[in-house]
Amino acid sequence: MSTTVFVNFPVKDVQASTEFYEKLGFKKNQEFSDEHASSMVWDDAFSIMVLDHEFYRQFLRNKEITDTTSQSGVLTAFLVENADVVKKIAEAAKANGGDYFSVDMGIPEEQMFSLEVLDLDGNQLEPIWMKTS
């Protein structure tokens, strides 16, 4: 059995976040979506759940939701087909209210390429491409 990863992000506006992730290339899975959450599918192995704060809090016990506009709790990286897809996702994020930036790892783009992508709430994704042998 292969593993499927569901990353959960707290968001202020589920509908706006759903539309944002659709513009990045994710597909909404209606079966696991409602007014409090959207299941945004990248592929069979990776999905993002955008959850409104009320719903997200149910899973926190005695913790608070991090202000992802000024703090980080997690960096979520996922592999894509090539560097052009990385760029396409980042550019779509910026064009739709998010942002992105680059971290210089000192690795040539022909070997590995990634960008740090921020969604509408400051949650951070890292689409990455790596050359395989």
Side-chain angles (χ1 to χ4, degrees), residues 70-91:
S70 64
Q71 301 169 337
S72 177
V74 65
L75 298 173
T76 304
F78 65 106
L79 289 174
V80 297
E81 298 87 351
N82 56 53
D84 288 337
V85 173
V86 172
K87 293 171 188 174
K88 179 180 173 188
I89 292 168
E91 290 165 3

Side-chain angles (χ1 to χ4, degrees), residues 21-83:
Y21 280 101
E22 287 176 330
K23 290 173 182 168
L24 299 188
F26 288 78
K27 305 284 187 242
K28 181 178 177 183
N29 179 342
Q30 294 289 352
E31 185 177 359
F32 298 109
S33 301
D34 61 22
E35 66 276 5
H36 299 289
S38 283
S39 175
M40 305 306 299
V41 178
W42 182 257
D43 61 23
D44 291 341
F46 178 62
S47 295
I48 292 174
M49 297 293 297
V50 292
L51 312 175
D52 69 23
H53 285 208
E54 179 184 346
F55 186 45
Y56 189 90
R57 271 191 195 91
Q58 294 180 36
F59 302 97
L60 299 185
R61 201 169 178 179
N62 298 319
K63 295 181 180 181
E64 295 297 319
I65 296 173
T66 298
D67 177 0
T68 53
T69 61
S70 64
Q71 301 169 337
S72 177
V74 65
L75 298 173
T76 304
F78 65 106
L79 289 174
V80 297
E81 298 87 351
N82 56 53

Side-chain angles (χ1 to χ4, degrees), residues 112-126:
M112 183 175 89
F113 183 73
S114 65
L115 292 168
E116 304 303 315
V117 175
L118 304 171
D119 75 5
L120 302 175
D121 293 272
N123 296 300
Q124 192 166 339
L125 292 172
E126 183 182 35

